[in-house]
Amino acid sequence: MTFEALGLHTSILKALTEAGYTAPTTVQAQAIPAALQGRDLLVSSQTGSGKTAAFMLPALHKFASAELQAGGRTSNQERQGARARGERPRFQAAQPKMLVLTPTRELALQVTTATDKYGSQLRRVRAVSILGGMPYPKQMQLLAKNPEILVATPGRLIDHMESGKINFDQLETLVLDEADRMLDMGFIDDIEKIVAATPETRQTMLFSATLDGVVGNMAKRITRDPMVIQIAGSATKHENIEQRVHFVDDLSHKNRILDHLLRDESMDQAVVFTATKRDADTIADRLNIAGFAAAALHGDMHQGARNRTLDALRRGQVRVLVATDVAARGIDVPGITHVFNYDLPKFPEDYVHRIGRTGRAGRNGLAISLANHAENMNVKRIERFTKQLIPVNIIEGFEPKKSASAARPSSRKPGGWKPGDNRGNAAKPGQRTFSKPGAPRKEGGFGKSTRSDDAYGARRSYGDR
Ligand code: ADP
Ligand code: MG
């Protein structure tokens, strides 16, 4: 399958070549043709699978075709005309044709950046992010340009709708990116309000880690005859990410293991996830004192500071990012080789999103959870959700005092992992998949895996759920 075969506009094909994309990902190959036909979509597929292009390329294709026919937007020309005649342009509400809703500011910025990349050859298409935390005059300036594409977090968007700065009468395409996350964050009322303000004729595309439960119910309400695309093992597979859990006795044990693993020579960049903003700050400070180039990222920071931190991460100046879940989505930095769960996530879904910060763009990654003995149940919950065992790992010299027999060392040697290492070697046990009832049990295929049940110690009673 090629992008040409999908029938995308030549200007988009050119941008994709420049971006170094050679072929569509699975989700793109399935979603793009349906989206080009104007169908509504409900899509779940794992993080890093290329969902942004799956919805943005068809939209840009539509803009590119319209651009050829109409030669630009009349409303923009009218505005400019008024300015040229020296009239003070009356304020007109921005009337975007496409709206992308995202849960976080980082994700919104990432979608905008990707749109600029995919649309680099389209002269007249502008994408703009409207975010909480951005100075109001700046937002007004952006809206005054009447952008074709608006990427927004729900809260701030509602403010602008209510004050008449934006209306959706011209809206053709609505995208809900990471819809499950938006609902987790309590945006359901905002989303319903926004959707109600858009024309019924719109095309709606919803992306989510899961299409069950609340998300599924909302999806049904806001789409018409949607095509459902679920990429096998969606959201949970992460074949290129090795997972481990280290059991710790206490905080000082946890910190010692973290410091040790951060010094591993295979580590390029890491994200360390904490449960609270305060912990993110404290741990970043501590790591800095210990000589790591560390920085915190969480929802209490101003947007400017968050952007600076993410830029520094992208440039490699920050090697260890200490973040909360709210900052987790949308971080797409290929240099991240390691993800640490300093605290286990509250929801198993978040585990999947966290570990998806590594292993980006087809690379390999290592995801390490540091759990108290009492958190064994939480580890099991994650395993049930991902249908994968997370092997227990013990490092010589850092053995937990408690439950030593419950978690015996796996056969792997500490520090033996390198990026690019875990295809078909002993690092495979983490990918042991659990068969769904009725599905053929997938055994073998782990190369010369030396996994024995010993590696899982007391947790081999996995099946007793
Ligand atoms: P998702 O939203 O599914 O988590 P993204 O849209 O953020 O995934 O894409 C993940 C990464 O993969 C990005 O770095 C993106 O540039 C890259 N990518 C997307 N599609 C392709 C493709 N067809 N070929 C190569 N890289 C791609
Ligand atoms: Mg995405």
Side-chain angles (χ1 to χ4, degrees):
M1 175 63 79
T2 60
F3 283 113
E4 283 86 354
L6 294 174
L8 291 168
H9 198 271
T10 46
S11 60
I12 297 172
L13 296 176
K14 193 165 166 222
L16 292 173
T17 308
E18 274 176 19
Y21 293 11
T22 49
T25 63
T26 312
V27 70
Q28 289 162 7
Q30 294 201 26
I32 290 172
L36 284 172
Q37 284 170 21
R39 284 200 63 175
D40 283 3
L41 297 183
L42 301 181
V43 183
S44 79
S45 87
Q46 71 177 48
T47 46
S49 57
K51 293 189 286 293
T52 316
F55 61 76
M56 204 41 94
L57 299 183
L60 289 173
H61 174 88
K62 231 160 98 181
F63 286 123
S65 312
E67 197 171 86
L68 275 184
Q69 282 162 21
R73 300 186 73 185
T74 37
S75 51
N76 273 336
Q77 286 170 346
E78 280 162 16
R79 284 166 207 235
Q80 278 152 18
R83 233 165 267 143
R85 290 191 300 273
E87 295 165 20
R88 226 172 120 198
R90 251 181 331 117
F91 181 83
Q92 288 168 292
Q95 297 195 316
K97 296 203 163 163
M98 178 182 198
L99 170 66
V100 182
L101 289 177
T102 73
T104 66
R105 307 182 250 195
E106 275 72 24
L107 196 62
L109 288 173
Q110 196 198 316
V111 169
T112 312
T113 308
T115 306
D116 290 344
K117 182 161 74 177
Y118 303 146
S120 63
Q121 308 295 319
L122 297 173
R123 270 172 302 130
R124 290 200 179 84
V125 179
R126 252 182 311 249
V128 149
S129 325
I130 293 298
L131 313 163
M134 187 189 275
Y136 198 72
K138 171 82 183 159
Q139 296 189 17
M140 293 314 298
Q141 213 182 331
L142 292 173
L143 288 177
K145 293 193 173 128
N146 197 23
E148 285 74 11
I149 303 173
L150 213 57
V151 185
T153 49
R156 181 54 61 102
L157 187 64
I158 293 267
D159 294 346
H160 286 298
M161 280 166 59
E162 286 177 346
S163 63
K165 303 291 188 300
I166 300 174
N167 86 51
F168 290 120
D169 293 350
Q170 303 289 321
L171 196 86
E172 293 169 3
T173 312
L174 172 67
V175 175
L176 282 80
D177 199 10
E178 309 220 351
D180 55 326
R181 181 65 166 192
M182 287 198 276
L183 296 190
D184 278 354
M185 290 169 73
F187 283 136
I188 187 145
D189 292 343
D190 288 349
I191 292 174
E192 302 263 3
K193 213 185 244 173
I194 293 166
V195 171
T198 64
E200 297 231 325
T201 51
R202 68 175 191 270
Q203 178 182 26
T204 309
M205 298 186 252
L206 179 145
F207 294 78
S208 177
T210 164
L211 296 174
D212 308 329
V214 201
V215 185
N217 289 338
M218 185 184 70
K220 263 181 234 136
R221 280 202 304 278
I222 67 171
T223 56
R224 272 176 314 167
D225 181 29
M227 177 160 171
V228 181
I229 298 175
Q230 279 174 298
I231 306 299
S234 78
T236 55
K237 249 199 167 153
H238 289 312
E239 299 227 309
N240 54 338
I241 300 169
E242 187 195 338
Q243 303 170 55
R244 295 179 191 169
V245 60
H246 290 265
F247 281 97
V248 302
D249 296 319
D250 50 30
L251 217 54
S252 116
H253 188 206
K254 191 187 265 196
N255 287 333
R256 277 187 293 124
I257 292 183
L258 177 67
D259 288 19
H260 174 79
L261 291 169
L262 285 174
R263 289 181 208 285
D264 193 301
E265 58 174 32
S266 69
M267 198 207 86
D268 184 0
Q269 287 176 289
V271 183
V272 177
F273 284 104
T274 62
T276 67
K277 299 164 194 167
R278 179 193 289 228
D279 275 355
D281 283 330
T282 314
I283 293 165
D285 286 347
R286 192 183 65 70
L287 290 173
N288 265 313
I289 292 166
F292 298 101
L297 188 73
H298 55 67
D300 271 0
M301 292 162 59
H302 290 299
Q303 190 59 44
R306 285 162 78 161
N307 290 344
R308 278 193 297 281
T309 302
L310 282 171
D311 279 346
L313 184 74
R314 265 180 221 113
R315 287 197 302 271
Q317 290 157 343
V318 164
R319 285 193 65 220
V320 184
L321 186 76
V322 190
T324 56
D325 281 304
V326 73
R329 298 208 184 191
I331 297 176
D332 182 19
V333 178
I336 297 172
T337 51
H338 287 53
V339 165
F340 292 93
N341 290 313
Y342 186 88
D343 298 306
L344 290 178
K346 213 160 149 195
F347 306 106
E349 293 93 315
D350 287 333
Y351 177 84
V352 175
H353 283 281
R354 286 179 175 194
I355 74 171
R357 296 312 105 209
T358 182
R360 301 299 286 181
R363 297 181 196 210
N364 291 319
L366 185 56
I368 298 175
S369 298
L370 305 172
N372 302 323
H373 301 289
E375 290 175 316
N376 198 9
M377 282 313 294
N378 305 34
V379 176
K380 284 188 177 178
R381 256 177 62 213
I382 293 168
E383 290 181 327
R384 270 197 296 277
F385 181 78
T386 63
K387 301 192 172 66
Q388 292 177 323
L389 276 182
I390 309 174
V392 176
N393 204 285
I394 292 181
I395 307 168
E396 271 176 61
F398 296 87
E399 297 86 349
K401 284 194 206 82
K402 243 169 87 181
S403 312
S405 65
R408 264 178 275 162
S410 84
S411 54
R412 268 168 286 134
K413 289 185 190 71
W417 182 89
K418 286 185 194 66
D421 222 20
N422 58 358
R423 204 143 295 190
N425 68 9
K428 278 282 185 183
Q431 283 142 36
R432 179 174 165 189
T433 48
F434 277 86
S435 48
K436 290 199 187 81
R441 200 177 159 82
K442 209 171 132 200
E443 278 294 0
F446 300 119
K448 49 184 190 322
S449 164
T450 48
R451 185 190 72 77
S452 68
D453 281 327
D454 276 352
Y456 301 96
R459 302 198 299 115
R460 62 188 283 202
S461 59
Y462 180 82
D464 64 10
R465 56 200 132 133

